[in-house]
Amino acid sequence: MTTTVRRRRIEVLVDKPLMSTVEKHAELAGIEHYTIFAAHSGRGHTGRWSDDQLTGALAKRMFLAVSNEETSDRFIEALTPFLDSHGLVLFVSNVEVVRGERY
Amino acid sequence: MTTTVRRRRIEVLVDKPLMSTVEKHAELAGIEHYTIFAAHSGRGHTGRWSDDQLTGALAKRMFLAVSNEETSDRFIEALTPFLDSHGLVLFVSNVEVVRGERY
Amino acid sequence: MTTTVRRRRIEVLVDKPLMSTVEKHAELAGIEHYTIFAAHSGRGHTGRWSDDQLTGALAKRMFLAVSNEETSDRFIEALTPFLDSHGLVLFVSNVEVVRGERY
Amino acid sequence: MDAAISTLLSPVILFFILGGLAGFARSDLAIPESIAKGMSLYLMAAIGLKGGVQVAEAGFSLGIVAALAAGLALGFILPLIAYPALRWFGRLDGVNAGAVAAHYGSVSVVTFVTGVEVLTVGDLAPAGYMVAVLALMETPAILVGLFLANRSGAAIGNGEGKGGALWREVLLNGSVVLLVGSFLIGIIAGKDGFTPIAPMFETAFRGVLCLFLLDMGLVAARRLTQSRALTVRLSVLAIALPILNGTIGALVGILIGLDVGSASALAILAASASYIAVPAAMRMALPRADAGLYLALSLGITFPFNITVGIPLYTALASWFAGVIA
Amino acid sequence: MDAAISTLLSPVILFFILGGLAGFARSDLAIPESIAKGMSLYLMAAIGLKGGVQVAEAGFSLGIVAALAAGLALGFILPLIAYPALRWFGRLDGVNAGAVAAHYGSVSVVTFVTGVEVLTVGDLAPAGYMVAVLALMETPAILVGLFLANRSGAAIGNGEGKGGALWREVLLNGSVVLLVGSFLIGIIAGKDGFTPIAPMFETAFRGVLCLFLLDMGLVAARRLTQSRALTVRLSVLAIALPILNGTIGALVGILIGLDVGSASALAILAASASYIAVPAAMRMALPRADAGLYLALSLGITFPFNITVGIPLYTALASWFAGVIA
Amino acid sequence: MDAAISTLLSPVILFFILGGLAGFARSDLAIPESIAKGMSLYLMAAIGLKGGVQVAEAGFSLGIVAALAAGLALGFILPLIAYPALRWFGRLDGVNAGAVAAHYGSVSVVTFVTGVEVLTVGDLAPAGYMVAVLALMETPAILVGLFLANRSGAAIGNGEGKGGALWREVLLNGSVVLLVGSFLIGIIAGKDGFTPIAPMFETAFRGVLCLFLLDMGLVAARRLTQSRALTVRLSVLAIALPILNGTIGALVGILIGLDVGSASALAILAASASYIAVPAAMRMALPRADAGLYLALSLGITFPFNITVGIPLYTALASWFAGVIA
Ligand SMILES: Nc1ncnc2c1ncn2[C@@H]1O[C@H](COP(=O)(O)O)[C@@H](O)[C@H]1O
Ligand SMILES: Nc1ncnc2c1ncn2[C@@H]1O[C@H](COP(=O)(O)O)[C@@H](O)[C@H]1O
Ligand SMILES: Nc1ncnc2c1ncn2[C@@H]1O[C@H](COP(=O)(O)O)[C@@H](O)[C@H]1O
Ligand code: NA
Ligand code: NA
Ligand code: NA
């Protein structure tokens, strides 16, 4: 059987215009590889929203990175001050990966 | 280190025209915040599909919400009758969040 | 309460032109149902990328399947030789599902 | 015969064939979904506007009422014919038979649009009000199909979906709203109001139709190859039903006194199978029905048949009936 | 009055109304986002090009300088009027009041484009350089709005976003770059260079505007129904502010010696509220402001008001001021 | 010289420069991907149709055979020249050198389209059959590039991708299918069949090209700034290779007896580097090659060079060779 090791999966929901803040702190914390997904719509404290490419103000993205515990802790620490001011939604969970040395 | 608490991550794959059922039950169960993603394509018991915006009949969405155990149980319970009739695919897993009181 | 059982959630980040390899091995390993999402952008060892539909060469997809341990192990085993050559990124984690016999 | 061949050799149809061939050969040629959707909306707005302007020019006539009534009647009756054929000859269960029957009772905007193009080239341009008939025929079959599926015991989505959302989907379906709305705008604006926007909605029309049919060819081929539930019996029905419905439509059109062009248009409407309004409604109301199946039948078989063979056939039938009756 | 009614009955406005009705009825009619964005970019390129070509034809004039200066001044002053109204009458906190004020001080390209269409039909075509005024008026209000929001104590994004990204967003905003760029291309290319591309940018213009306004109607209705924070007081302001700003704009335009058409265009610019450049900048600089709210006000109320009632109103005001002063 | 400057000042090229400047300044101006893809498909269909109609008018000639043979030969030979240059001067490994060589041996549809526009304005319109040469030149270089990369020891995707999927990608690539298909439709439809769809495919052509090149400017700037592997040596090659290939193409064109316009078109094809068919095939067959690198070279450097400097240069070369030889 292929051996796997445990790593941390970090996901951050963030407004499109504020993504650069998340990316900057990811890179500072040592997260070099990440993937971004576009959200379609949702509901939050100001009601229903859906991405209209026209104004761009309501678009949301999902930032996804898998990394080791240390790096992920550093990243979470760095983002914590922005959770409220930037309305970030951050989840962390465990995943197993093959070739653990890459993460 | 930033303290995190355990919450439940609920994901539901659902046909686009049936999403309103999932949203209604989410709101009834007390899930006020959620995010929806568009799926691109896939394979199920009727074969390969891919979202063509033309007919709209084959589009699928992913509903994602993070909430506490109680709310998530209520939501799962409410959706269970629709799993078969609406072809829903529902997963639950654990995540850690900062600022646990918000979920 | 609705009873749930533990299953494996497998996610594979893969270049769009190489998706067919992943799908082929999924089907060979017995994964009959899966869903694919389009990634928006990201950062890897060759730098920043974002999906431009024009060349299509930089588009990435996320393959997602939930299945039982045995099938998922078989699939991971089959994909391992391609992790490096095809630049696949593969994560596995635990999820709970209702109607476990379907997965 | 000559007309049929010249139809097949017009760029509009050739692009459809190109798309179909590329799709079967599994070329990676693909038109972005949003572009296809945009072109589809454009075609609806254009056909609606032009129909409205024509009605504004021609004024009200009794033919309008007769055609609307005939269309409405066909919308209710055709699924009642299709359903038993699908159940007993096609061997479908009640839910799937009801869902497919709804598709064949309703109409395909693009089949109509292509038909109008072909008829216009052949000097048989149908009356402008046929656009209103098109809009009217979109929904009745949905109700009949759901009724038939329910009778067969399909609990519609556990009591869900029966509510407002479904009714909104049925009555305020995007294509119905856009067709009816543009038709009314055409009537209000009239020829003078239309002139400034004509370059967009008239001059560019055929070119857009070419590119749209290219995509439809690709989509039709994909639907056909991806479906798992398609049987020979069902494929036979996907050709027999449009021929039957088209014949009925042509006959009814001539009997109620429509000109040959308008009767042909009615036949094309009757023969066409929906692939926009009905699939969306069925997905909502009958989630257990196999979407891959009804799209394979309506988009994968009936649509190509109508575009290539059906349109000239129904036109010939309408001319023949007109000759016999006159 | 007649002019106002004929405006309301032109296809361009009728499509907007159709979209609004469909949106309120919650029809599933929807134009793909990317198509809407594409049409919006097209409209900007077209209006920029045409303005540039007109300036190349008409040559440089003192009117240009006066109009640019007036536009710039309005961009700085209008948010200073809107802010106290939003805080005290509208009962918004400082951050939201600053964000909304920025929208009303800036401009809406599509309101301008629709206004130019209506004015041109009424033989009051504004000068080509008004496009430059449009571009110039997009950003000053953003700076004033941010200043006001900050004074009220809103730590802008924790010190983040103040940096290069925000400035780039403000100064190199896509719509500003495209407008200014196309304007310059129009000046360089002149009438001769424009002729070969005119079929795309001139002939098709109104048709595209119809479809785009259909989408704007849908979007406006959605914004209005989805917002939670909309109050009666704010809704009143979303109509009072454009009337006030439009009156100021018309007056200033006539006072600095613009012809009635150009003064009307300046009034339309002053009255219009941004929904592209400003929302994006506010989301970045004031993430705590409620995006649903400012879009509901600018897109959901002010935009429809301007398109249907405002444009003829501001034109009438400009004509009246011109008469009084002459 | 004059011709070169007037080329640079045409709106088509100015929009490209605008896009490039906006991209370098990191403006948030962006054209939705699906719109860009749609315009790219439109341009292919239009150029294919027009080429086909011209061939239908002009009839078959020996020139066609000569041009096709020359194009095929260039497609096989040019990568064999590029590969050693990339390995030894550019210091790339075998896999990347093979992948990049394939790009330079293949062709860019938009460079060709822009070239035809420029040539037509300068009264040097190339023959319609050059579209067939364009289609024929898309794939041979892919085979040669893969052969070279493999010789250097790159196990292609672990034995995967060698199969049907890759061959389908290479031979049934969307752009090849659309070009060849539209070309054939143009031949079948002829001038009479083309007239009704000409407003879409001919009149609007240049306008669409403007907007598409705006996007290409943005994309080129992004490719250039995002790549990590770009070196000075490789950048030199990204300009030297098109000059060399263009010179060869112009010479070959004149030697086989093509008119100056067609020879210039062959030169432009030879000089251009693929950014649609080849990147997709390389991603599949050589997943370890750096996609950021080959796109930076072909889209970020060679494409802008050809659009602004290359096209007039190769045309001048072809004229000069024609004079020398005559
Ligand atoms: N618990 C959650 N689960 C999933 N998505 C969420 C959650 N909380 C917030 N979001 C998303 O983030 C957006 C902003 O959240 P809020 O700041 O709470 O309005 C919402 O509109 C949702 O799309
Ligand atoms: N185990 C699974 N993992 C991921 N996606 C699934 C799974 N089961 C079903 N799906 C998705 O849900 C769709 C409908 O599933 P089914 O009802 O099994 O045909 C499929 O086409 C997939 O896209
Ligand atoms: N650890 C990771 N977490 C999330 N996405 C990743 C990760 N590693 C790689 N990726 C994605 O996969 C792409 C290719 O990765 P690489 O092969 O490392 O260049 C990157 O551009 C990312 O989008
Ligand atoms: Na029918
Ligand atoms: Na304003
Ligand atoms: Na080349």
Side-chain angles (χ1 to χ4, degrees), chain E residues 49-58 185-198 202, chain F residues 11:
Chain E
L49 275 172
K50 289 195 282 183
V53 171
Q54 279 169 37
V55 167
E57 292 288 289
I185 293 177
I187 291 183
I188 298 174
K191 197 148 196 166
D192 290 351
F194 183 63
T195 308
I197 57 173
E202 203 160 56

Coordinates of all heavy atoms in Angstrom, one line a residue, chain E residues 49-58 185-198 202, chain F residues 11:
Chain E
L49 N -14.2 55.2 -28.3 CA -13.8 55.4 -29.7 C -14.6 56.5 -30.3 O -14.0 57.4 -31.0 CB -14.0 54.1 -30.5 CG -13.0 53.0 -30.4 CD1 -13.5 51.7 -31.1 CD2 -11.7 53.5 -31.1
K50 N -15.9 56.4 -30.2 CA -16.7 57.4 -30.9 C -16.4 58.8 -30.3 O -16.4 59.8 -31.1 CB -18.2 57.1 -30.7 CG -18.6 55.8 -31.5 CD -20.1 55.7 -31.7 CE -20.7 55.1 -30.4 NZ -22.1 54.9 -30.5
G51 N -16.3 59.0 -29.0 CA -15.9 60.2 -28.5 C -14.6 60.7 -29.0 O -14.5 61.9 -29.4
G52 N -13.6 59.9 -29.1 CA -12.3 60.2 -29.6 C -12.4 60.7 -31.0 O -11.8 61.7 -31.4
V53 N -13.1 59.9 -31.9 CA -13.2 60.3 -33.3 C -13.9 61.7 -33.4 O -13.4 62.5 -34.2 CB -14.0 59.2 -34.0 CG1 -14.4 59.7 -35.4 CG2 -13.3 57.9 -34.1
Q54 N -14.9 61.9 -32.6 CA -15.6 63.2 -32.6 C -14.6 64.4 -32.2 O -14.6 65.4 -32.8 CB -16.8 63.2 -31.7 CG -18.0 62.6 -32.3 CD -19.1 62.4 -31.3 OE1 -19.3 63.2 -30.4 NE2 -19.8 61.3 -31.4
V55 N -13.8 64.1 -31.2 CA -12.8 65.1 -30.8 C -11.8 65.4 -31.9 O -11.4 66.5 -32.2 CB -12.1 64.8 -29.5 CG1 -10.9 65.7 -29.2 CG2 -13.1 64.9 -28.3
A56 N -11.4 64.3 -32.6 CA -10.4 64.4 -33.7 C -11.1 65.3 -34.8 O -10.4 66.0 -35.5 CB -10.1 63.0 -34.2
E57 N -12.4 65.1 -35.0 CA -13.1 65.9 -36.1 C -13.2 67.4 -35.6 O -12.9 68.3 -36.4 CB -14.5 65.3 -36.3 CG -14.5 64.0 -36.9 CD -14.1 64.0 -38.4 OE1 -14.9 64.5 -39.2 OE2 -13.0 63.6 -38.7
A58 N -13.7 67.5 -34.4 CA -14.1 68.9 -34.0 C -12.8 69.7 -33.6 O -12.9 70.9 -33.5 CB -15.0 68.8 -32.8
I185 N -7.4 56.1 -28.8 CA -7.3 55.4 -30.0 C -8.2 56.1 -31.1 O -7.9 56.3 -32.2 CB -7.7 53.9 -29.9 CG1 -6.6 53.2 -29.0 CG2 -7.9 53.2 -31.2 CD1 -6.9 51.8 -28.7
G186 N -9.4 56.5 -30.6 CA -10.3 57.2 -31.5 C -9.7 58.5 -32.0 O -9.8 58.8 -33.2
I187 N -9.0 59.3 -31.1 CA -8.3 60.5 -31.6 C -7.3 60.2 -32.6 O -7.2 60.9 -33.6 CB -7.8 61.2 -30.3 CG1 -8.9 61.8 -29.5 CG2 -6.8 62.4 -30.8 CD1 -8.4 62.6 -28.3
I188 N -6.4 59.2 -32.3 CA -5.3 58.9 -33.2 C -5.8 58.4 -34.5 O -5.4 58.8 -35.6 CB -4.4 57.8 -32.5 CG1 -3.8 58.3 -31.3 CG2 -3.3 57.3 -33.5 CD1 -3.0 57.3 -30.5
A189 N -6.8 57.4 -34.5 CA -7.3 56.8 -35.7 C -8.1 57.8 -36.5 O -8.1 57.8 -37.8 CB -8.2 55.6 -35.4
G190 N -8.9 58.7 -35.9 CA -9.7 59.6 -36.6 C -10.8 59.0 -37.4 O -11.0 57.7 -37.3
K191 N -11.5 59.7 -38.2 CA -12.7 59.2 -38.9 C -12.2 58.1 -39.9 O -12.9 57.1 -40.0 CB -13.3 60.3 -39.7 CG -14.7 59.9 -40.1 CD -15.7 61.1 -40.1 CE -17.1 60.7 -40.2 NZ -18.0 61.8 -39.9
D192 N -11.1 58.3 -40.6 CA -10.7 57.3 -41.6 C -10.3 56.0 -40.9 O -10.6 54.9 -41.5 CB -9.4 57.9 -42.3 CG -9.9 59.0 -43.2 OD1 -11.1 59.3 -43.4 OD2 -9.0 59.7 -43.8
G193 N -9.6 56.1 -39.8 CA -9.2 54.8 -39.2 C -10.4 54.1 -38.5 O -10.4 52.9 -38.4
F194 N -11.4 54.9 -38.2 CA -12.6 54.4 -37.5 C -13.5 53.6 -38.5 O -14.2 52.6 -38.2 CB -13.4 55.5 -36.8 CG -14.5 55.0 -36.0 CD1 -14.4 54.1 -34.9 CD2 -15.8 55.4 -36.3 CE1 -15.5 53.7 -34.2 CE2 -16.9 55.0 -35.6 CZ -16.7 54.1 -34.5
T195 N -13.6 54.1 -39.8 CA -14.6 53.6 -40.7 C -14.5 52.1 -40.8 O -15.6 51.4 -40.8 CB -14.3 54.2 -42.1 OG1 -14.3 55.7 -41.9 CG2 -15.4 53.9 -43.1
P196 N -13.3 51.4 -41.0 CA -13.4 50.0 -41.1 C -13.9 49.2 -39.9 O -14.4 48.1 -40.0 CB -11.9 49.6 -41.3 CG -11.2 50.9 -41.5 CD -12.0 52.0 -41.0
I197 N -13.8 49.8 -38.7 CA -14.3 49.1 -37.5 C -15.7 49.7 -37.1 O -16.2 49.2 -36.1 CB -13.3 49.2 -36.3 CG1 -13.0 50.6 -36.0 CG2 -12.0 48.4 -36.7 CD1 -12.1 50.8 -34.7
A198 N -16.2 50.6 -37.8 CA -17.5 51.2 -37.5 C -18.6 50.2 -37.4 O -19.5 50.3 -36.5 CB -17.8 52.4 -38.4
E202 N -20.4 51.0 -34.1 CA -21.4 52.0 -34.2 C -22.7 51.3 -34.6 O -23.7 51.5 -33.9 CB -21.0 53.0 -35.3 CG -21.7 54.3 -35.1 CD -21.0 55.4 -35.9 OE1 -20.8 55.3 -37.1 OE2 -20.6 56.4 -35.2
Chain F
P11 N -6.3 51.1 -35.6 CA -7.0 50.7 -34.3 C -6.7 49.3 -33.8 O -6.5 49.0 -32.7 CB -8.4 50.9 -34.6 CG -8.5 51.9 -35.7 CD -7.2 51.6 -36.5

